[in-house]
Structure formats: C-alpha cells, structure tokens
Amino acid sequence: MNAGAETLTHSVRCGPGEVIADLRAGDIILIRGPGWLGRIIRLGARIRYRHGDRRYAHWSHAALVLSARGRLMEVHARGVGVCGIEKFRDEEFHYVRLDLSDESRREAVRYARSCVGQRYGVLGFLLLGLSVALGDRFRVPDSGQQGCATLIVRALQRAGVAFDRAPSDMMPADLAKRFGVLP
C-alpha cells in the first residue's frame, strides 16, 4: 500500500458480552475503557476536539489484533504485552477492519511483536496531556516509548498507512477519526 493512500475501513460495534468473529491480524479495536483513567483520556480527547468531532472522544484505549484467534497487542501501565480479546468482553469496543494487504498486515504485526516488554511511556502520556490542554501548541517529543495509540500508529505506518499526527501525538480518538469510527 502506498504511504499516502487512503485506508478503507469498516467497523463493527461490540457491546458488553458480545463477541466478534473473523478477526484478522493487523486490524485494531477501539475500547471505551471504564474507570478514572479512561475518563481522563476521554476528557483530553474532548479538549482536543472541542471545536468539532467530539464524538471521537468516546474511546480511551486501543489494541492491535495479532491473530485470528483473538490475540491482541496492547500497552498498559506495565508496558507492551499480549492479551486475549476476551479481556474486553465486558466493555464496549469497536472492531476496525482495515483494508490492508497480507504483507502489510504481517509488517504491522511483526513490528508490534518486536515491542513486547517495552516500557509504557508515562512521560509521553503526561506531555501529551499537557500539549492537549494547551491546544496542541507543541509536539510531544518521541522518546521511543509506547502508549496504546503510539504503538498502533507505528505498526500501521510500517504497513503503509499515513497519519496526520506523529505517533507520540496520537490518542485513541485520533485513531477513531482517522478511520471514521463513530460510537
């Protein structure tokens, strides 16, 4: 896929308790996570999109599909790790089907797997919050550490997907906007 090419998508909403079939490596899920951290992330997204597109602020977490069996790559407080899609069974999420070639999917997954065990970018998260609060007046320096959206953007860039923002400046809401996923 050409780096500037548009990536066509289709998303499927899964409510709490619902399951999704036909998973493909390289696709993503957008999650509306509960709890205080999810609320803070959604607040930041509402601030970023305060002049439009606030509906994308619905999302607070994201993960990359690694396999048809439901293995996911996610970034959490302990860093980059693998989990099963069943972890999100009790939460609302959207499964985002990306129009990628098999080779592009392999590239995205290969990159994501190479990141297992990397640390969570706490400083990047805090700087992103500050940047958003100040109206995105500065770019977050890329320290190479991961956040959930950062990991996905870096993986999909290797698959040829283009983004308007740098990986370290991305939030789950930005992924939702990029792929047109509405709650």
Side-chain angles (χ1 to χ4, degrees), residues 76-91:
H76 46 73
R78 293 177 305 283
V80 180
V82 177
C83 68
I85 197 166
E86 63 274 0
K87 175 180 179 179
F88 302 107
R89 181 177 304 253
D90 295 332
E91 299 172 35

Side-chain angles (χ1 to χ4, degrees), residues 64-99:
L64 181 78
V65 177
L66 295 176
S67 75
R69 294 184 314 266
R71 302 308 293 163
L72 305 174
M73 183 69 61
E74 72 162 337
V75 180
H76 46 73
R78 293 177 305 283
V80 180
V82 177
C83 68
I85 197 166
E86 63 274 0
K87 175 180 179 179
F88 302 107
R89 181 177 304 253
D90 295 332
E91 299 172 35
E92 175 191 354
F93 67 88
H94 271 60
Y95 177 76
V96 184
R97 298 181 192 275
L98 302 175
D99 184 22

Side-chain angles (χ1 to χ4, degrees), residues 32 36 38 43 50 60 70 90 102 104 128 131 133 149 152 161 166 179:
R32 181 176 175 86
W36 65 271
L43 173 63
R50 66 185 163 272
S60 59
D90 295 332
D102 290 341
S104 293
L128 178 59
S131 173
I152 290 169
V161 179
F179 297 119

Side-chain angles (χ1 to χ4, degrees), residues 99-119:
D99 184 22
L100 298 173
S101 69
D102 290 341
E103 181 56 30
S104 293
R105 290 175 183 283
R106 283 190 292 275
E107 283 299 314
V109 168
R110 188 174 306 129
Y111 172 78
R113 287 188 185 279
S114 76
C115 296
V116 170
Q118 288 183 0
R119 294 178 50 168

Side-chain angles (χ1 to χ4, degrees), residues 129-142:
L130 180 61
S131 173
V132 168
L134 295 174
D136 287 314
R137 294 187 186 184
F138 68 90
R139 295 183 76 169
V140 176
D142 192 340

